Amino acid sequence: MCEKCKGNYYITTPIYYPSAKLHIGHAYCTVATDAMARFKRLQGYHVKFLTGTDEHGQKIEDKAKAAGVTPQQFVDDIVLGERGVLDLWKLMNISYDRFIRTTDDYHVEAIQKIFKRMYDNGDIYKGKYVGKYCKPCESFWTDAQLVDGKCPDCGGEVQEAEEEAYFFRLSKYADRVQDLLENTDFLEPRSRVSEMVNNFIKPGLEDLCVSRTSFTWGVPVDFDPGHVVYVWIDALFNYMTALGFENDKYHDLEDFWPADVHFIGKEIVRFHSIIWPAMLMSLNLPLPKKVFGHGWLLLDGGKMSKSKGNVVDPYILAERFGVDALRFFLLRSFPFGSDGNFSNELLINTINVDLANDLGNLVSRTVAMALKYFGEALPAQQQENPELDAELLAMASGLRDRYEEQMEKFAFQNALAEIFKVISRANKYIDENAPWVLAKEEENKPRLARVLYNLLETVRICAGLLTPFMPDTAAEISRRLGGAPMDWDSLNKFGVLPADVAAVSGPALFPRIDMEKELAALEELSKPKSTIEIEPYTEESVDFDTFCKNELRAVKVKSCENVKKSDKLLCFTLDDGTGTDRQILSGIAKFYKPEELVGKTLVAITNLPPRKMMGKPSCGMLLSAVHKDKGEEKLQLIMLDDSIPAGAKLC
Ligand code: MSP
């Protein structure tokens, strides 16, 4: 630790799954962590801010397969590619000190050593896993934990799972973890404690399955080929491997472990407040000082997710409103520990009221008046009026302490509310003192100078404390106040600016946004660029042997007719190369006239069990391509070159 520092401070975000591009919900936690890290730096701490990506697991393996690339290529694209994770953090001005990827060699090797250590100390043992698995959440569940037979986290379908696996003796640590949760401030907000204890610990904490054999994209268990380490073990230990635990890449463990706080979303509190401390206990390692489970940013009352198609693109918002306004909005509008409803109206309204009206106006009016009435610099001769000044001075000089108290509790919304009370008070102070009236009489100039000085000084303190939220704006305001100091020690003192401060003009910091026009523009941008809609891809994989059982054959249409009393069905008589006609019924009457299909070479699946449709047997299925255009269903039969003989097998 450096001599001048107040101490070391280690703060982390969750490491993100690069299974799809990140959205504003992901940015929420990272912006909050960034604000906290910047706040601690401002206070004088030596901060280590860690973020990264959690790149293993079956979901990634499946998605890569569906995209026709290797899992490594798939994650590289989302992490390093254009508008990927790194680009997003750059855009959002995230001041992380270290970025870990769980596919980094040093991390993989460290995880193998950690797994072996727990195996050697007897806390990991080999057994057989029989239970339920939720693929999207990468979580195992016992029947008792399911809610209506579905995953208790995401509400999705779970699959039966049975395989030889390693287990972690989570049950052994149940009492110690319960004590940690109930009798310390380890987990916040407190409301999350009872949820963990009542839902997970009291019903009986079972040992946790910590290896898989049904896929390969993970950290291999080096002493038992075929097993890969459960993705959450791999992920949770990132907080320590990124400091050099069980590796030589970094050497910061002594300085920064235990972490001061892990910021995480509420759905992963279970992993961080039960499994994580239990594993650290197993290795006799110090526990992080705090885990804070923040709420979700909701859209239309539900969590944002790619699969629901209700994600909000942070690039669009940052491009239209500016990064600082977006960062500010996220932390000003929602209490960090609770869920918040995102809407474009709320975003625009917050920018207009707080930033354009209150802060922006205060800065521009104050600077403009200083320049208009005194030119380059304020005169040193100034006249105080304790009666008119006392309240503003007291509020501004006491602001840092009130703000600090809230920031230490991660109550970002309240910390910002404290700042905006002072900003409002300063705007009122302008009206009370009416500088434009004072300016009319030469003899009032010393008083006018003092009024403007008080305003500039108030702006300095407010902007300094806004630095963690809006770093670029704070720097710009400092410039407009003639390079005003905004270091921590200066922010609880009134009278730091020199009396002859020279203000500098500039354009409006936050121009007012026309709500109606902007909403219409955002609506337009959110419309899909293409009018074509295709069926979403399934995440379920089919093994090769099962797929090969489908018999796909070329068939020639000998005749085709509408089925009586059905406006959907066409009845095909087909030559399938066997010498016996094959009849297939297909619900495509609204797309084709029967006569236009005679003589065509189509593709049929021929080994489906026959079934009756409108009383007629149908022996197989014809393949077609389907999509929607402007909401309208489109269908085309797959047609082959007519030189392909009837019965040719497709493989
Ligand atoms: N990979 C795990 C974390 C491992 S940490 C050892 C993970 N990744 S994630 O990409 O799915 O989510 C990362 C974080 O983003 C989580 O904390 C999650 O709560 C947060 N958010 C994702 N969508 C969100 C909202 N709509 N609102 C707020 N935060 C949400 O979980």
Side-chain angles (χ1 to χ4, degrees):
M1 186 178 71
C2 59
E3 266 172 28
K4 283 193 209 139
C5 287
K6 281 202 181 139
N8 291 336
Y9 190 84
Y10 182 35
I11 183 167
T12 66
T13 69
I15 47 171
Y16 295 82
Y17 280 128
S19 64
K21 298 259 154 144
L22 303 189
H23 54 70
I24 194 77
H26 297 113
Y28 179 54
C29 181
T30 311
V31 166
T33 315
D34 187 62
M36 197 63 203
R38 287 179 188 266
F39 162 67
K40 282 287 158 186
R41 288 189 200 112
L42 185 63
Q43 278 182 317
Y45 283 86
H46 180 206
V47 172
K48 182 81 58 199
F49 167 10
L50 174 74
T51 188
T53 41
D54 177 7
E55 305 186 1
H56 289 126
Q58 188 167 5
K59 189 159 63 172
I60 303 270
E61 186 174 286
D62 289 350
K63 288 207 163 187
K65 222 184 266 170
V69 293
T70 64
Q72 191 64 57
Q73 285 167 332
F74 183 83
V75 292
D76 281 353
D77 182 48
I78 298 183
V79 178
L80 311 172
E82 204 186 329
R83 298 203 160 194
V85 180
L86 290 182
D87 272 2
L88 180 61
W89 297 156
K90 195 165 169 203
L91 171 82
M92 297 303 295
N93 209 350
I94 303 300
S95 62
Y96 58 83
D97 300 290
R98 194 156 290 166
F99 191 95
I100 184 169
R101 299 182 63 184
T102 55
T103 50
D104 289 338
D105 288 346
Y106 76 91
H107 173 80
V108 170
E109 285 158 26
I111 292 299
Q112 291 179 323
K113 290 186 198 156
I114 291 165
F115 196 88
K116 182 77 171 38
R117 270 178 66 175
M118 288 192 275
Y119 179 72
D120 288 343
N121 75 17
D123 274 351
I124 284 182
Y125 62 92
K126 202 169 189 175
K128 194 169 186 190
Y129 182 78
V130 184
K132 301 286 189 297
Y133 186 69
C134 174
K135 213 194 251 188
C137 297
E138 317 255 14
S139 295
F140 290 102
W141 302 102
T142 59
D143 285 328
Q145 287 171 325
L146 301 179
V147 176
D148 298 330
K150 304 260 168 71
C151 169
D153 274 354
C154 72
E157 296 293 337
V158 289
Q159 304 166 356
E160 295 286 344
E162 182 182 319
E163 59 187 48
E164 185 185 68
Y166 286 91
F167 286 83
F168 170 66
R169 289 189 203 281
L170 188 57
S171 55
K172 175 174 159 188
Y173 296 97
D175 292 345
R176 279 176 69 188
V177 171
Q178 184 169 350
D179 181 54
L180 173 76
L181 296 184
E182 288 185 328
N183 301 319
T184 72
D185 291 333
F186 176 76
L187 175 61
E188 282 186 11
R190 284 301 288 176
S191 55
R192 307 222 183 269
V193 169
S194 49
E195 189 190 329
M196 289 301 118
V197 172
N198 295 335
N199 296 358
F200 297 107
I201 301 183
K202 284 199 177 149
L205 212 46
E206 291 179 18
D207 288 352
L208 178 76
C209 177
V210 289
S211 77
R212 300 297 313 272
T213 50
S214 56
F215 64 93
T216 54
W217 184 239
V219 175
V221 175
D222 51 356
F223 57 88
D224 195 347
H227 287 260
V228 292
V229 175
Y230 176 42
V231 72
W232 271 100
I233 296 206
D234 172 4
L236 286 162
F237 272 100
N238 93 88
Y239 299 130
M240 291 188 72
T241 60
L243 297 179
F245 182 57
E246 294 291 9
N247 69 81
D248 283 329
K249 168 112 174 144
Y250 297 114
H251 302 93
D252 307 303
L253 203 61
E254 243 176 62
D255 288 339
F256 290 99
W257 192 259
D260 288 272
V261 64
H262 295 313
F263 275 0
I264 54 158
K266 64 178 186 179
E267 84 283 19
I268 56 174
V269 165
R270 181 173 74 96
F271 299 97
H272 284 80
S273 67
I274 298 178
I275 298 172
W276 181 220
M279 287 194 301
L280 292 170
M281 287 170 187
S282 162
L283 293 174
N284 278 323
L285 292 166
L287 307 183
K289 292 177 203 160
K290 198 171 289 300
V291 168
F292 190 95
H294 65 77
W296 283 345
L297 221 54
L298 305 175
L299 197 67
D300 307 321
K303 191 183 178 214
M304 290 174 200
S305 85
K306 187 83 196 299
S307 54
K308 284 196 222 157
N310 67 352
V311 292
V312 175
D313 186 343
Y315 280 96
I316 294 184
L317 299 182
E319 270 156 19
R320 297 193 75 82
F321 304 115
V323 169
D324 273 6
L326 186 54
R327 289 171 57 108
F328 171 80
F329 160 75
L330 291 173
L331 299 176
R332 166 74 161 146
S333 310
F334 315 109
F336 191 48
S338 320
D339 291 349
N341 258 313
F342 175 91
S343 76
N344 289 329
E345 284 94 328
L346 183 62
L347 169 59
I348 296 168
N349 198 47
T350 308
I351 295 175
N352 279 346
V353 173
D354 286 343
L355 298 183
N357 221 27
D358 292 355
L359 174 66
N361 262 344
L362 176 64
V363 175
S364 59
R365 285 160 91 195
T366 305
V367 168
M369 287 190 289
L371 290 171
K372 180 172 170 197
Y373 301 136
F374 295 107
E376 291 247 303
L378 293 187
Q381 201 200 348
Q382 299 183 354
Q383 185 193 330
E384 290 173 15
N385 182 336
E387 216 174 287
L388 286 175
D389 299 344
E391 193 178 309
L392 179 69
L393 265 60
M395 277 181 82
S397 54
L399 175 60
R400 194 194 79 174
D401 290 350
R402 295 193 301 280
Y403 161 96
E404 184 177 26
E405 196 187 326
Q406 298 300 332
M407 292 296 284
E408 296 290 4
K409 292 191 280 189
F410 315 120
F412 303 113
Q413 195 186 31
N414 296 349
L416 286 167
E418 291 295 343
I419 298 177
F420 275 78
K421 277 186 216 160
V422 177
I423 291 174
S424 286
R425 186 65 192 85
N427 276 319
K428 192 169 149 212
Y429 179 83
I430 298 182
D431 298 337
E432 288 166 352
N433 286 281
W436 46 91
V437 176
L438 293 173
K440 285 187 184 146
E441 304 291 339
E442 197 50 38
E443 58 177 354
N444 288 335
K445 286 280 172 88
R447 175 62 193 150
L448 175 60
R450 187 64 195 179
V451 167
L452 293 175
Y453 179 86
N454 286 345
L455 287 167
L456 291 171
E457 192 53 4
T458 305
V459 168
R460 179 186 71 81
I461 293 173
C462 291
L465 296 173
L466 281 171
T467 309
F469 300 90
M470 299 195 287
D472 290 347
T473 303
E476 174 59 14
I477 294 177
S478 162
R479 191 188 72 81
R480 294 201 193 176
L481 304 186
M486 290 184 176
D487 57 285
W488 185 249
D489 288 340
S490 76
L491 294 175
N492 66 344
K493 295 184 183 75
F494 205 93
V496 169
L497 283 173
D500 61 347
V501 51
V504 179
S505 67
L509 290 172
F510 298 98
R512 217 186 145 70
I513 300 164
D514 182 321
M515 174 77 82
E516 251 175 61
K517 269 197 202 155
E518 189 57 36
L519 286 178
L522 286 170
E523 171 87 35
E524 198 53 39
L525 281 171
S526 69
K527 281 190 190 151
K529 298 224 166 36
S530 153
T531 56
I532 306 284
E533 280 173 65
I534 56 165
E535 282 275 313
Y537 281 81
T538 173
E539 288 191 4
E540 223 171 288
S541 54
V542 55
D543 65 73
F544 188 67
D545 291 344
T546 309
F547 171 76
C548 288
K549 287 183 188 153
N550 288 310
E551 185 135 280
L552 298 172
R553 298 277 180 168
V555 289
K556 295 203 185 262
V557 183
K558 292 175 79 174
S559 67
C560 177
E561 57 192 31
N562 287 105
V563 175
K564 272 184 208 139
K565 292 193 192 149
S566 166
D567 46 9
K568 283 197 190 138
L569 289 177
L570 292 182
C571 177
F572 290 83
T573 303
L574 302 160
D575 174 2
D576 64 4
T578 60
T580 314
D581 287 348
R582 175 182 290 269
Q583 176 170 292
I584 292 182
L585 279 89
S586 180
I588 57 172
K590 90 172 183 208
F591 303 101
Y592 288 102
K593 292 198 181 80
E595 56 276 17
E596 59 185 324
L597 294 172
V598 176
K600 300 285 185 212
T601 309
L602 308 179
V603 178
I605 302 182
T606 53
N607 60 340
L608 285 170
R611 62 180 184 137
K612 281 198 168 167
M613 296 159 93
M614 299 295 283
K616 286 172 167 275
S618 176
C619 302
M621 189 176 123
L622 294 170
L623 293 192
S624 16
V626 289
H627 71 274
K628 280 188 186 165
D629 191 1
K630 298 188 197 106
E632 193 189 336
E633 259 182 88
K634 304 275 179 183
L635 178 146
Q636 277 175 295
L637 281 163
I638 311 282
M639 293 195 192
L640 300 176
D641 190 298
D642 289 334
S643 64
I644 296 175
K649 185 164 172 162
L650 276 74
C651 49

